[in-house]
Amino acid sequence: MTALLFLLATFPVKTVQASGTGNMDGGGGSFGTGTSQNKWSNGDEGVRVTIVSASDGTPVSSSIDISNANPGDIVVHFTKTCKSAYRAGAPLSISEDAYSCIRPSQSLPAIISTEEGGSNIEQIKRYFTDEQVLRGICGHCEFDFDTLIGGEYKVMVEPLAFVTFQGLRTAMTATEAALYDNLLGGRMRSLMPSLSHQNLPLAIFLETSDLGFPAWGGSRTTAASNDNIISALGIGIVRFDEEVTPIVADYEYRVDTDVITAVTVSGGQADPDHPVKVEFEINGTSYTVNNVYYPSGSSQLVWVMWHTPSTPQMVDISVSVRGGGTPGRNSLTARIVDLDGNDPPNPTANDRNDSYSPGGAIMPVNPEKTSASWSVWTASWQEYWVWHSDWKWKEEECGEDCPEGCEIEHGRWEDEGEWKDDGWWTFNLVTYTASLAADMRLDPDSMSPTASSTSLKSGYGVNISVNSTTSSNQTSAVTGSQTAVSYFPEFYYRGYWRLLERTSGGLNASYQFKVNEYSTMGRRTHFTPVWMKDGSYIVYTYLLDCWTPDGMLAVNLSDSVNISGNLWMDWHIAPKK
């Protein structure tokens, strides 16, 4: 009874005041049909909450599970481990302890969207930024509330589901579902993908990148891959004393970039005799797409390629249609961002980082798409020649045998008709494709005096070479890749990055580091920290901005060199003779 009274006290019914800002967004799609051995029921849900360090996401409290349900029949669970702990290398292990869960007096809002009704991400935000809810969380985690809201800590929120999987009642977060599916060789995805890989991970994800986890830019309604779930989905964060700008844009583009904006036009019948005209108004410039047509009851994808401004800003895009059709969206918003200017600080030979943990340097996995397809209606005329009669009476004068005063009309009917083509337009859907292939190579800088082809001492520089090829059977409708961003293990792949310089463009693009301002020899290099431990030094690069009518193609790349020793080993000090 004492424990029950304590739990009730930690989650009061009355909402009093908001504290913090919720960095959360959500989505979901329709569910498939379950079985008695593999199923999920509406309301069998909750959240896992953990207080973490605002600097790197390290847990500073135990994780607690909260649910309106009373899942006393759970037999499989995974030790209440949070997402950032898994990222740091915590193993997925089934707990033999009885499962426990807090049932709050102030009921949770719906977390997982269902066919009966979607969850409301704004309600979820309000719930977890409510002061009394946060005080309750602090009470159960034995953490001081005033310390929590001081700005050095954040609250991590992960959607949680209670499912029957292979006949066993199981509690799991989205991250645990993906990790478990990896262990099972994809069996969970094959049996219940609508829950484990769609509605659970898409219940909560980040609006803006935080704690090294990226904002989610992929589909909000279809199943995600295990890698994308582990790296980016099934996580929300409550921040304190930080200004958060929610992403409200339909598109996010980089500055000074060729991009493609697409809409779908439908309604009525459009053919080459009665085509539709689509007009895009973008940043004060009009773009017109003429001769758009499609069969009755269908639609046509229409797009325009344009170049983004050179400075960060919001751009409004309006779409209008003339000729009877209507666009899927009349207005869109694009956020233009600049990735430049976040280079690492100048490293020095005396730098130290005794607290660095290689296990915490987990490479991100950003949304990846390496192929695209789109379809365009074409029309051809089907001839059908028909004789159209035009009978006319041809009068004739009376002949010699005609009696005097004959009043009978003389003549004959003649058909002065003509052949006419009564054909019609036939439509054919032509499919186009595009693909992106890329490779990355990391090498020790040639100015490193003791480096080999694959190994160097810490403190010396590395060079990068990224090459990409974009292929398409409609090259006029695609761009090559235009942006590449590299991240480094000494910063746990967050906080600092290098925007690579595109040294050749078009469909075959190449990239290198920009000239390092701290290089006395003007080298295109990144200096490894002198304190970096021996072992594999892996650089991660995200290659993106390859635009097609079917969206952006992007790929995750990485390569490594081996660190062995440090630059001080190349120095020898001796007395002057």
Side-chain angles (χ1 to χ4, degrees), residues 240-505:
F240 305 95
D241 294 337
E242 290 188 16
E243 182 179 351
V244 180
T245 303
I247 294 177
V248 295
D250 301 288
Y251 287 90
E252 182 171 285
Y253 301 128
R254 266 52 60 190
V255 297
D256 199 23
T257 303
D258 289 329
V259 298
I260 290 176
T261 301
V263 297
T264 300
V265 177
S266 60
Q269 164 91 52
D271 57 45
D273 294 329
H274 307 90
V276 166
K277 181 168 69 173
V278 182
E279 294 181 348
F280 294 79
E281 186 73 25
I282 305 175
N283 213 29
T285 301
S286 295
Y287 302 83
T288 301
V289 182
N290 292 307
N291 299 318
V292 177
Y293 42 80
Y294 44 87
S296 177
S298 188
S299 60
Q300 181 73 292
L301 185 68
V302 181
W303 63 90
V304 63
M305 186 182 298
W306 58 286
H307 197 79
T308 61
S310 59
T311 57
Q313 58 190 273
M314 298 295 293
V315 173
D316 293 326
I317 303 171
S318 63
V319 185
S320 61
V321 176
R322 296 183 182 179
T326 56
R329 296 282 299 275
N330 292 106
S331 62
L332 302 162
T333 303
R335 183 187 302 279
I336 313 300
V337 300
D338 190 351
L339 298 181
D340 204 2
N342 214 52
D343 293 352
N346 181 27
T348 70
N350 296 316
D351 285 347
R352 296 189 59 164
N353 188 355
D354 296 337
S355 63
Y356 176 75
S357 171
I362 307 298
M363 282 195 304
V365 181
N366 281 298
E368 185 172 87
K369 181 177 181 179
T370 57
S371 62
S373 65
W374 62 97
S375 300
V376 177
W377 287 105
T378 62
S380 59
W381 184 256
Q382 175 62 55
E383 294 183 349
Y384 182 67
W385 290 94
V386 177
W387 178 263
H388 289 255
S389 296
D390 184 13
W391 290 97
K392 293 184 179 179
W393 177 257
K394 300 294 184 177
E395 291 187 0
E396 298 177 349
E397 295 182 357
C398 290
E400 295 179 356
D401 297 334
C402 193
E404 186 177 351
C406 177
E407 295 182 355
I408 299 174
E409 187 177 12
H410 294 272
R412 70 183 186 278
W413 288 98
E414 287 187 5
D415 188 354
E416 296 184 356
E418 61 180 343
W419 288 96
K420 291 184 178 180
D421 185 0
D422 286 349
W424 55 86
W425 289 105
T426 61
F427 292 88
N428 182 45
L429 194 61
V430 179
T431 298
Y432 297 95
T433 62
S435 62
L436 174 66
D439 62 77
M440 167 184 163
R441 177 166 177 165
L442 193 70
D443 294 297
D445 185 74
S446 61
M447 300 304 295
S448 175
T450 55
S452 69
S453 61
T454 58
S455 181
L456 77 163
K457 294 181 172 68
S458 64
Y460 292 111
V462 293
N463 306 134
I464 197 170
S465 175
V466 175
N467 298 288
S468 72
T469 300
T470 305
S471 304
S472 177
N473 55 356
Q474 192 183 22
T475 56
S476 62
V478 302
T479 73
S481 70
Q482 299 166 84
T483 305
V485 191
S486 293
Y487 300 80
F488 307 95
E490 63 264 36
F491 306 109
Y492 296 98
Y493 302 105
R494 57 181 183 267
Y496 297 100
W497 58 81
R498 292 191 184 277
L499 179 64
L500 304 190
E501 181 177 340
R502 186 166 41 143
T503 54
S504 65

Side-chain angles (χ1 to χ4, degrees), residues 146-223:
D146 292 328
T147 302
L148 172 68
I149 65 175
E152 295 183 4
Y153 302 95
K154 299 180 181 181
V155 175
M156 182 177 292
V157 180
E158 302 177 66
L160 179 71
F162 309 115
V163 305
T164 299
F165 177 60
Q166 298 186 131
L168 299 175
R169 289 284 286 163
T170 304
M172 59 185 182
T173 64
T175 303
E176 289 169 341
L179 292 170
Y180 197 31
D181 188 59
N182 279 338
L183 292 177
L184 298 176
R187 183 157 181 78
M188 176 167 286
R189 185 184 182 94
S190 69
L191 294 174
M192 49 192 321
S194 299
L195 186 278
S196 63
H197 287 70
Q198 178 178 286
N199 287 40
L200 174 59
L202 291 171
I204 303 175
F205 50 83
L206 297 180
E207 285 185 296
T208 57
S209 299
D210 203 343
L211 299 179
F213 295 100
W216 176 242
S219 172
R220 297 172 176 233
T221 58
T222 58

